[in-house]
Amino acid sequence: MQFNQHEPGFSVTFNVTAFKDTAATDGGTAPGKPRPFARRRRNRHGRGLRGTLLPAGLPASRTRSEMFEDLVVDSAERLRELWGAPLEDVEYLVEEVPDNLEALIASRSQTPLGKYRAASTPAPGRKAEPGAIIIYRHPVEALCEAPWQTRELVHEVLIEQVAGLLNIDPDTVDPLFRRFRGH
């Protein structure tokens, strides 16, 4: 179906079936349906689609959770350098909050900053699981007022959890223990 509209000095011709065919093939939608999210980006003033503000390779483009994970990795590497074999198979995990946070708040007990899980021995029908140290991102960040404090607190929490996992004194794990929190 073609429409022609003629006015003096102005002529418009378009083909409705051709428009419907191209809309279906280029990711567009039929009339009355919302556009998919990928097609909602703006092309302001014909300058092209907007991109990310910072390229992915720059340090400022990292999220807070990614930066926190980097702190945990740095601290875990330091502890592995100090202790070697006992921490070789230990996994370091980051979780946002503890599983039972609502119960902890209701009981007015202190929110844990981390926990450890000892390695399990293999049983019939089960694989052996390595030991794991879990650190909770939101409780740790809530105690820190500055970014440098987060690095120190992450290291102290990991030292406490390694000490619990190895069943030794935290001061033995790392001589820098309790530099941030002088308890």
Side-chain angles (χ1 to χ4, degrees):
M1 171 187 292
Q2 285 194 350
F3 293 101
N4 289 327
Q5 182 179 8
H6 296 285
E7 291 182 16
F10 185 77
S11 174
V12 176
T13 304
F14 60 93
N15 188 343
V16 175
T17 57
F19 176 74
K20 286 181 182 176
D21 292 341
T22 59
T25 59
D26 70 354
T29 59
K33 290 187 178 177
R35 291 180 296 174
F37 181 74
R39 304 245 329 159
R40 289 186 192 156
R41 299 184 72 184
R42 295 179 64 189
N43 183 2
R44 294 186 66 169
H45 308 292
R47 296 185 190 130
L49 297 176
R50 290 185 177 182
T52 58
L53 185 59
L54 293 171
L58 295 178
S61 67
R62 301 194 41 91
T63 64
R64 287 191 338 213
S65 63
E66 290 171 336
M67 290 187 290
F68 189 86
E69 289 171 1
D70 290 343
L71 296 177
V72 172
V73 168
D74 291 344
S75 183
E77 287 176 356
R78 173 169 166 73
L79 292 172
R80 281 188 178 156
E81 287 173 8
L82 291 172
W83 283 89
L87 298 180
E88 191 172 303
D89 294 330
V90 174
E91 295 179 347
Y92 296 88
L93 307 170
V94 175
E95 292 184 9
E96 297 296 312
V97 293
D99 293 332
N100 56 351
L101 185 61
E102 292 84 13
L104 290 170
I105 292 172
S107 67
R108 297 185 183 228
S109 60
Q110 185 177 358
T111 304
L113 302 177
K115 70 178 182 180
Y116 65 90
R117 182 185 68 222
S120 67
T121 56
R126 283 187 32 209
K127 291 185 348 183
E129 290 186 20
I133 295 176
I134 298 120
I135 186 166
Y136 301 115
R137 183 172 77 90
H138 286 292
V140 169
E141 288 180 340
L143 290 176
C144 300
E145 296 174 1
W148 65 269
Q149 292 175 336
T150 307
R151 175 179 296 278
E152 297 290 329
L153 187 56
V154 163
H155 189 64
E156 288 188 12
V157 170
L158 284 181
I159 290 171
E160 289 173 350
Q161 300 310 315
V162 166
L165 185 67
L166 299 178
N167 199 19
I168 58 176
D169 187 45
D171 292 322
T172 309
V173 174
D174 192 348
L176 298 177
F177 181 62
R178 295 192 186 186
R179 193 173 73 188
F180 176 66
R181 294 183 297 168
H183 297 297

